[in-house]
Amino acid sequence: MSQDNRGFNLEKVRADFPLLTRDIRGVPLVYLDNAASTLKPIHVIDRLQQYYRNETSNVHRGAHYLSSQGTVAYEASRETVRRFVNAKSIHEIIFTRGTTEAVNLVAQSWGRANFKEGDEIILTELEHHSNIVPWQMITSEKGCKIKVIPVNDIGELEFDKYLELLSPKTKMVSMSSCSNTLGTVTDVSKYIEAAHRVGAKVMIDAAQSAPQFPTDVQKLDCDFLAFSGHKVFGPYGIGALFGKEELLESMPPYQGGGSMISEVTWEKTTWAAVPQKFEAGTPAISGALGLEAALSYIMDLGFDAIIAHEHDLLEYATRELKEIPGLRVVGEAKNKAAILSFVIDGAHPSDIGSIIDQQGVAVRAGHHCCQPLMKRLGLPATVRASFSIYNTRGEVDILKQSLIKAKEFF
Ligand code: PLP
């Protein structure tokens, strides 16, 4: 597992992640829960340490050295996020706690200002609860209807059905570019184009695609896009929302407080310009700096190498796991990210997860915050192994052996 034929130095990448050296239950950790959270490279850990040791200070307020340096670093992180998603301007990048907060921001701000009774919002059957519930909250208040693009039996969205759902009543389409449960990668650009033809706005949940594929908001022409820091090798409590500048300018603030105002009087408050208008209170400064380190790490590795490595792992794992009698892969879209959901005859997914955990193998088992999708699939849960840049074919072999052993319990 040293140097593979694409010049991707797997050994070096693994050495960047200290947690990979840890034993769990007396055996080396095999971490296959990357769709939930990725591990953190030393670059990110060091950046957080450096900030807390040498740089701690609040931003945008202090008249002193540390504060102004902190502000420069915080805004430089925004520029790195801009570069990562290829937005036109840093005014289009808002730091949030993650994807969930970003969807809530758009639903509560843009949605509250623009939805009216009878309007329609289109979601998909693949969505994570965080791209369903915020829309339900605002649409039930506003008297709007949610329509859902169905998924076919192999886990792909049905584009023709989507076209039938679209109408001048559609005000928003919100969908993920990659399913966290099935790994389905959707070509969202054609969905965006079709939505724009009827005048609807489009929000992309890029929580799963951001660590796996390049994100280009200008090429996509999406109106909003969100991702989470902890899934792109960054810290918890930080993420980003991209929004087209003219839309963000037109939207009311999501939360009120310090930093988001221009002037406050007892009679009236006026707002700061974007992006500050949407960043009330002290932001996650260390989180933003850690996110910058994480995104720089990804961009230095390069998506060509990341895609090639993860595609190889997915193909290998799919082939190997299918050899296990009674194991069924759930979700076999033509275009898939390195996420592999499966069930085994006669065994509950949570039991499988607990048994292989005893062998140091970390996977997720459950509904993966996708209960409507589980209902569509007729399953209560799946086991999900999700791969990242530091995983190896050897770890796939350990997963396979641990599953074969687990089967003895059923
Ligand atoms: N969307 C997708 C597709 C996800 O996989 C997740 C998390 O698993 C989220 C949204 C929510 O992300 P967060 O919990 O970081 O806000």
Side-chain angles (χ1 to χ4, degrees), residues 35-36 98-101 128 130 176 178-180 205 207-208 228 230-231:
T99 307
T100 303
E101 191 179 51
H128 187 280
S130 62
S176 55
C178 175
S179 156
N180 65 307
D205 169 352
Q208 292 299 334
S228 300
H230 67 99
K231 294 184 198 285

Side-chain angles (χ1 to χ4, degrees), residues 236-258:
Y236 290 99
I238 189 79
L241 168 69
F242 155 82
K244 283 183 179 164
E245 192 166 352
E246 66 274 16
L247 289 176
L248 294 176
E249 293 282 9
S250 74
M251 287 158 53
Y254 169 52
Q255 295 180 328

Side-chain angles (χ1 to χ4, degrees), residues 132-143:
I132 298 175
V133 183
W135 299 112
Q136 286 176 328
M137 287 163 69
I138 188 70
T139 50
S140 65
E141 201 182 307
K142 289 280 188 168

